Amino acid sequence: MAAPAHAALPQLTAAQPATLQSCTDLASRLKLPDTRITSSELVTEGNLTIKEMTTPVPAHCLVKGKMKERTGPVDGAAYALGFEVRMPVHWNGRFLYQANGGLDGEIVPALGAVSGGAPVAPALVQGFAVLSSDAGHPTPSPFFGVDPQARLDYGYQAVGALTPMAKNLIKSAYGKGPDRSYLAGCSNGGRHAMVGASRYADQYDGILAGNPGVYLPKAAATQLWKAQQYAKVASKDANGQPDLKTAVTPAEFKLISSKIVEKCDALDGVADGQVNDVAACQAVFDLQRDVPNCTGTRDGTCISSEQKGVLSTIFAGPKNSKGEALYPGTWWDPGVMGSNFSWWHFDAPPTRNAGSVAFIFTTPPLSVADFRAKTGMQYAMEFDLDTDFPRIFATTALYPESPWAYMTPPNATDLSGLKNRGGKMIVYHGTADSVFSPIDTAQWMDQLQAHHGNQADTFARLFMVPGMNHCAGGPATDQFDMLAPLVAWVEQGKAPDTVTANARGAGANVVNTELPASWSANRTRPLCVYPKVARYNGKGDVESASSFSCK
């Protein structure tokens, strides 16, 4: 049976709570189309540790299963939509699809920790029923890209298939389906959310997209181009391949960061070691002028003219041989000193990005044998913007949907479906994201506003997070909850003008070691609806969000 699609969103109707009625018998008694429930168990209240973070979780029902099990016709591998659903005993009546990041390929525990760095109140803790999935392939390896259906599942069809299944499962567990449904994630999960806002607006009341790769195939290909630029000033490793980490050292990025702060700190009305007006900073900071030139050995106190040339090219964004811009560049932001920033520039291109472009984001995909015959760095160095980049948009008889078609939101700047049924959307993006350009997201918001007659903020709002890297980290107040404001907007009509963000200093659940020593461990800042910026009121504690207003 299919879950009924939402028609018009009931105006200002809050979700109604319910109590779990069924759990351990779901695996044996529940029959859903193309679905095999492999286990259902009651988990007692207690602590759940994932990586370095321990979260107290309520008593809940944990259901695991698979949908659409099959054998791939190209590689003979086993495929399915693997999932888990966690449903609290005391339920708030809401459903959250936890869209995961990266290449997917693993079922991240369904806690719904979707906002900022080390969230303190994941959706499960707030009382949501939460779904997590592997998006249709069992390992976070790019080789699934040889399978035509796995590509489509990863791009958008996993959300389309799993959503009605999860709603029916929830109905069986509580005796009623969810009153409100939300889709949320960061990075590729943010892309899933953006696609959901376009393709599945009838299924979701609220969308939360963090640091979204709106146009992910272009961003991934750009990463390979960045590696080629850095290779021009990098030394060689023992195998004769460029050692990208030598192109710009942590000390050199820290130097650039400090010079950005020097030039742009006071643009928001106070010198507090934090650049809030990042857009204005772009016209004030000049790499050539403001960072000392090396006249001798590179020692972290200067940048060579060759390095400056490479960095200027990279931050401007890629162009093909015709001079056509292919993807937006990157903002100069103090967050360039973040370890996450450099990871995406140096570590990711020959590993994650090479594989994803070779198998998922171009058509036809490379053969596994051909890919393994060379290193990821070789693939990155050989990628050609003129001949390989267009394969993002290509199709074949075996792969009839292009990577661009299945990875990006159809009509990304026309969200009439979401708007017309009363749905709401919040997007947030770190201004020092080094893989998915925050400029790209800002331009998307500008275009969304233009398409909807400058009234898009009645249903969609963008919040920039100064200094934050990709989803978290960097010199930023990067701990915040965007889910609660989204719920209040959907269910109470309270449109969010600001969201308070915290620094993760000493005493935080996970400490951010990249915070400047001059900051209070408990610094707070208002995150503002784009294009507004948090500006100092002229008086008050500079460590407190209450001393700043969005203007």
Side-chain angles (χ1 to χ4, degrees):
M1 59 180 177
H6 292 301
L9 186 64
Q11 292 299 307
L12 308 184
T13 302
Q16 299 301 307
T19 302
L20 190 69
Q21 297 178 3
S22 179
C23 178
T24 56
D25 62 337
L26 290 174
S28 60
R29 75 170 179 82
L30 189 59
K31 305 299 181 185
L32 297 172
D34 295 320
T35 304
R36 179 167 62 93
I37 296 177
T38 56
S39 65
S40 54
E41 61 176 319
L42 195 60
V43 179
T44 59
E45 180 180 358
N47 291 328
L48 185 62
T49 300
I50 303 172
K51 297 181 179 178
E52 79 257 33
M53 190 168 70
T54 298
T55 302
V57 297
H60 63 278
C61 181
L62 171 58
V63 177
K64 296 182 179 182
K66 296 182 178 183
M67 284 191 75
K68 299 184 179 295
E69 295 176 88
R70 61 185 179 83
T71 299
V74 176
D75 57 1
Y79 290 97
L81 302 176
F83 67 88
E84 74 171 41
V85 180
R86 294 179 186 256
M87 299 176 286
V89 171
H90 302 291
W91 180 45
N92 65 13
R94 302 181 181 100
F95 161 56
L96 177 78
Y97 189 120
Q98 172 186 302
N100 296 314
L103 295 176
D104 283 300
E106 59 182 332
I107 303 171
V108 179
L111 297 185
V114 295
S115 295
V120 294
L124 181 67
V125 177
Q126 296 184 34
F128 285 74
V130 184
L131 166 77
S132 173
S133 89
D134 60 13
H137 51 279
T139 59
S141 160
F143 297 149
F144 76 85
V146 302
D147 184 83
Q149 183 58 47
R151 286 178 153 213
L152 304 184
D153 288 337
Y154 176 68
Y156 67 96
Q157 290 187 8
V159 174
L162 288 164
T163 295
M165 181 281 300
K167 291 183 178 183
N168 283 322
L169 175 61
I170 290 168
K171 183 176 181 179
S172 296
Y174 293 105
K176 73 162 192 170
D179 297 316
R180 296 296 191 186
S181 298
Y182 297 86
L183 173 60
C186 197
S187 186
N188 177 52
R191 181 201 63 84
H192 278 302
M194 298 287 280
V195 171
S198 180
R199 289 186 180 271
Y200 304 117
D202 63 325
Q203 291 290 321
Y204 286 98
D205 307 316
I207 304 287
L208 175 57
N211 283 61
V214 186
Y215 305 124
L216 195 156
K218 287 185 177 182
T222 295
Q223 293 291 93
L224 306 183
W225 169 83
K226 289 178 185 177
Q228 295 171 9
Q229 309 314 305
Y230 281 123
K232 297 174 182 177
V233 289
S235 60
K236 304 289 187 180
D237 63 19
N239 298 314
Q241 295 293 314
D243 181 359
L244 298 183
K245 293 181 181 179
T246 65
V248 184
T249 67
E252 290 167 339
F253 267 133
K254 190 171 183 179
L255 170 67
I256 295 171
S257 173
S258 70
K259 296 303 180 181
I260 295 172
V261 172
E262 282 183 17
K263 297 296 294 187
C264 301
D265 188 358
L267 293 175
D268 55 20
V270 65
D272 57 357
Q274 185 168 357
V275 176
N276 284 334
D277 198 343
V278 179
C281 182
Q282 306 314 298
V284 174
F285 172 76
D286 184 277
L287 180 69
Q288 303 292 338
R289 179 195 65 210
D290 298 327
V291 179
N293 248 52
C294 289
T295 56
T297 304
R298 287 169 48 190
D299 59 3
T301 65
C302 58
I303 304 293
S304 73
S305 58
E306 292 80 9
Q307 286 176 296
K308 287 186 175 182
V310 164
L311 285 167
S312 296
T313 297
I314 288 172
F315 275 67
K319 295 180 180 179
N320 61 20
S321 63
K322 297 179 181 179
E324 298 167 332
L326 301 180
Y327 187 68
T330 305
W331 276 327
W332 294 107
D333 181 284
V336 299
M337 55 77 67
S339 58
N340 178 269
F341 188 94
S342 60
W343 187 90
W344 281 104
H345 276 219
F346 301 146
D347 297 81
T351 55
R352 178 174 297 185
N353 301 130
S356 63
V357 171
F359 290 97
I360 310 168
F361 304 144
T362 53
T363 300
L366 201 65
S367 76
V368 175
D370 287 345
F371 187 76
R372 285 177 168 163
K374 61 180 71 179
T375 66
M377 184 63 76
Q378 286 176 304
Y379 181 86
M381 291 299 106
E382 295 170 2
F383 187 83
D384 190 289
L385 290 183
D386 287 337
T387 59
D388 294 325
F389 192 88
R391 292 170 55 210
I392 290 171
F393 309 95
T395 64
T396 67
L398 183 59
Y399 304 99
E401 286 192 48
S402 72
W404 187 254
Y406 63 73
M407 288 298 297
T408 66
N411 301 315
T413 58
D414 180 0
L415 296 182
S416 299
L418 187 70
K419 172 189 174 183
N420 292 342
R421 65 174 300 267
K424 308 299 181 186
M425 182 176 189
I426 290 178
V427 180
Y428 65 89
H429 207 135
T431 58
D433 187 338
S434 60
V435 57
F436 297 151
S437 170
I439 300 174
D440 195 34
T441 301
Q443 291 176 349
W444 165 82
M445 189 70 225
D446 292 340
Q447 293 161 5
L448 185 73
Q449 282 279 32
H451 182 86
H452 289 281
N454 292 319
Q455 298 295 313
D457 58 353
T458 61
F459 67 92
R461 297 192 173 191
L462 168 64
F463 292 82
M464 289 295 186
V465 187
M468 190 175 82
N469 291 158
H470 186 61
C471 294
T477 52
D478 71 341
Q479 189 170 70
F480 46 85
D481 179 6
M482 293 281 181
L483 184 56
L486 178 60
V487 170
W489 194 8
V490 167
E491 301 182 20
Q492 301 172 38
K494 297 179 179 178
D497 292 319
T498 66
V499 173
T500 300
N502 298 270
R504 292 183 287 122
N509 58 337
V510 178
V511 173
N512 178 3
T513 59
E514 295 176 339
L515 293 178
S518 61
W519 291 21
S520 162
N522 302 311
R523 171 174 286 194
T524 57
R525 284 291 182 273
L527 303 180
C528 302
V529 176
Y530 171 84
K532 293 183 178 180
V533 171
R535 301 190 185 281
Y536 186 56
N537 294 331
K539 60 181 180 179
D541 182 6
V542 297
E543 301 298 335
S544 174
S546 62
S547 300
F548 292 77
S549 298
C550 293
K551 300 176 181 177

